[in-house]
Amino acid sequence: MMELHMTKTILVTGCAGFIGSHLCKYLLEKENCKIIGLDNLSTGKKTNIESLLKKNNFQFIEGDIVEPLLFKEQINEIYNLACPASPTAYQKDAIHTIKTNTIGILNVLELARKNKAKILQSSTSEVYGDPLQNPQNEKYNGNVNPIGPRACYDEGKRLAETLFFEYERKYKIKIRVARIFNTYGPKMDVNDGRVISNFIVQALQAKDITVYGKGSQTRSFCFITDMVIGLHKLMNGGITGPVNLGNPNEKTILQIAKIIIKMTSSKSKIIFKNLPKDDPRQRKPDIALAKKVLRWNPIVSLDNGLKETIKYFQYVL
């Protein structure tokens, strides 16, 4: 059989994580490419990429972007998704989270510079902190606490954006910056510590559902397939960013808890705990820019997305 000639090589860092593993699968289906997946497996899991490991055009390397990145082959594109994304995970080793968003960012940018590769940074809605305007658009500079318990991630991601734009200015490398809002779906970690996974696991196990504060804080949840399409469109679109990617369907945390109890027919009761420090009170993306420039709009409804996610957790548990 004739060997297929790959048109490009794409590096995906954080490839075994929740978004990274879905992205790798999507890219292998959509592009005639070779993918090198890099992950230190601190929060990513090899089981997430099990089906990809059998493919000839997918190569997995266990490694950390904080260490120097050396590749023999030419890299054409880099999707940088390496960084724990849930507060539980990124606060566990805050200093390593900061290193990932500084030393790690410099390493991936240097790799992009040497290879003349296009590079996408997975930034976050957390750069807006606890926002004083709702919804948040890309021109909003945020309301952040540089010394709070979430700063290792929030400020780390803000500095990462700064480094990306400095490299673009100085070395003219092609950058893309995506500000990712709350994303959910199959392959989320059972012990992720984020709202949707927490509530589903508690509901399925008939445990009390823990809501922080009064549950009046809002979030907007985007299903994973929509997010991956958005990242791919941004990488291949004509805009540098930053671009908000998320679903503007805003719900309170208490509403989400009630929806999940209903959908799982759970006997769980809702209990209230103190709100963690600097927990954002509102979170809703203004996605006018993504709609206009990328022709991107999330299409999976919360009900359909939750059905898929609940099905996944039932299987895992």
Side-chain angles (χ1 to χ4, degrees):
M1 198 176 138
M2 201 171 74
E3 195 182 322
L4 284 173
H5 179 66
M6 300 299 158
T7 54
K8 58 181 166 186
T9 298
I10 302 173
L11 172 67
V12 178
T13 69
C15 70
F18 165 50
I19 296 179
S21 57
H22 281 276
L23 179 66
C24 288
K25 184 174 181 287
Y26 184 82
L27 292 173
L28 287 171
E29 286 164 3
K30 282 277 170 193
E31 303 236 23
N32 176 24
C33 65
K34 178 187 176 180
I35 288 189
I36 299 171
L38 181 83
D39 204 299
N40 68 358
L41 302 178
S42 63
T43 55
K45 288 189 168 50
K46 232 172 167 178
T47 47
N48 284 343
I49 51 169
E50 218 161 13
S51 63
L52 308 181
L53 294 170
K54 301 175 186 120
K55 295 184 185 290
N56 293 334
N57 53 343
F58 181 81
Q59 179 192 353
F60 173 69
I61 297 168
E62 189 173 336
D64 195 321
I65 62 166
V66 168
E67 304 303 325
L69 300 173
L70 305 166
F71 294 96
K72 286 194 181 94
E73 61 222 280
Q74 171 73 31
I75 307 283
N76 306 106
E77 287 179 3
I78 303 168
Y79 286 85
N80 182 46
L81 282 88
C83 186
S86 86
T88 322
Y90 64 64
Q91 288 171 5
K92 199 166 144 192
D93 188 347
I95 289 167
H96 192 269
T97 301
I98 295 166
K99 282 181 176 175
T100 303
N101 286 315
T102 50
I103 300 165
I105 292 295
L106 286 167
N107 285 339
V108 293
L109 284 167
E110 272 301 302
L111 186 69
R113 182 177 73 84
K114 285 170 185 162
N115 283 268
K116 295 184 170 59
K118 198 182 341 175
I119 180 168
L120 181 146
Q121 165 65 356
S122 62
S123 190
T124 169
S125 59
E126 297 290 333
V127 299
Y128 300 121
D130 184 5
L132 301 175
Q133 76 170 46
N134 200 47
Q136 298 84 52
N137 65 35
E138 293 85 354
K139 288 191 173 74
Y140 178 55
N141 288 333
N143 172 42
V144 291
N145 176 4
I147 57 168
R150 300 168 75 103
C152 61
Y153 185 72
D154 305 0
E155 291 295 325
K157 289 284 190 178
R158 283 164 74 91
L159 180 55
E161 287 193 13
T162 307
L163 287 167
F164 261 69
F165 279 89
E166 289 306 336
Y167 261 72
E168 184 201 36
R169 282 188 273 265
K170 186 170 182 177
Y171 300 115
K172 308 288 181 271
I173 67 168
K174 284 184 183 169
I175 66 164
R176 301 287 183 264
V177 176
R179 287 183 179 162
I180 297 174
F181 281 68
N182 296 68
T183 308
Y184 72 102
K187 293 189 184 176
M188 283 183 98
D189 189 11
V190 172
N191 305 310
D192 190 83
R194 281 185 274 196
V195 175
I196 297 257
S197 51
N198 270 5
F199 287 179
I200 292 175
V201 170
Q202 288 168 339
L204 291 174
Q205 295 178 337
K207 291 179 177 171
D208 288 340
I209 287 185
T210 44
V211 169
Y212 293 95
K214 290 175 180 169
S216 57
Q217 65 275 38
T218 68
R219 295 292 181 272
S220 307
F221 293 98
C222 184
F223 192 63
I224 184 64
T225 51
D226 284 331
M227 182 55 65
V228 161
I229 291 166
L231 291 170
H232 186 243
K233 278 183 178 257
L234 176 58
M235 177 64 101
N236 294 287
I239 184 173
T240 297
V243 178
N244 286 342
L245 293 178
N247 192 321
N249 178 16
E250 188 180 18
K251 292 266 186 274
T252 70
I253 297 299
L254 191 56
Q255 282 175 316
I256 295 285
K258 287 175 177 172
I259 291 167
I260 288 171
I261 287 172
K262 193 178 172 188
M263 287 181 83
T264 53
S265 309
S266 178
K267 302 270 191 291
S268 293
K269 290 183 176 66
I270 295 171
I271 60 163
F272 296 89
K273 290 191 173 182
N274 290 338
L275 198 63
K277 187 170 166 53
D278 299 331
D279 193 58
R281 284 159 297 181
Q282 292 177 311
R283 192 50 66 73
K284 176 184 177 174
D286 177 333
I287 58 165
L289 185 62
K291 278 181 174 177
K292 183 184 170 189
V293 182
L294 304 177
R295 303 269 183 268
W296 176 83
N297 203 8
I299 54 171
V300 180
S301 70
L302 186 64
D303 273 6
N304 288 341
L306 284 175
K307 267 180 210 157
E308 287 294 308
T309 313
I310 289 164
K311 210 188 297 175
Y312 170 77
F313 278 110
Q314 281 169 331
Y315 169 73
V316 170
L317 294 170

